[in-house]
Amino acid sequence: GSWVLYESDLNKDATPPPLVPPSAEKRKWKIVWRNVILFMLLHLGGLYGAYLFLTQAMWTTRIFTV
């Protein structure tokens, strides 16, 4: 790809762009532990809610939610 929208925008004398755009370069991962913990709590809450829905909810509630 030439990374231009229209052929008239293409400068034929310029060097071709690199195959990998700069935004795709390798980066060092930075783990945000606050987010990891919050997402773990969120997923545990979802699993607990699903467990309660399947074991404790009345059948009328299950039908209403479907």
Side-chain angles (χ1 to χ4, degrees):
S2 60
W3 298 98
V4 294
L5 294 176
Y6 304 103
E7 286 188 36
S8 60
D9 293 342
L10 181 62
N11 184 356
K12 303 220 187 277
D13 298 329
T15 59
L19 294 177
V20 178
S23 61
E25 294 173 355
K26 292 283 184 186
R27 297 182 186 169
K28 182 160 174 49
W29 281 45
K30 179 182 175 188
I31 297 176
V32 181
W33 288 106
R34 178 180 174 267
N35 291 350
V36 172
I37 292 169
L38 288 175
F39 270 90
M40 285 177 57
L41 292 174
L42 180 73
H43 282 84
L44 287 172
L47 289 173
Y48 181 61
Y51 167 76
L52 289 178
F53 178 78
L54 294 173
T55 60
Q56 302 295 319
M58 295 174 56
W59 65 271
T60 52
T61 303
R62 291 186 202 153
I63 290 175
F64 180 74
T65 56
V66 174

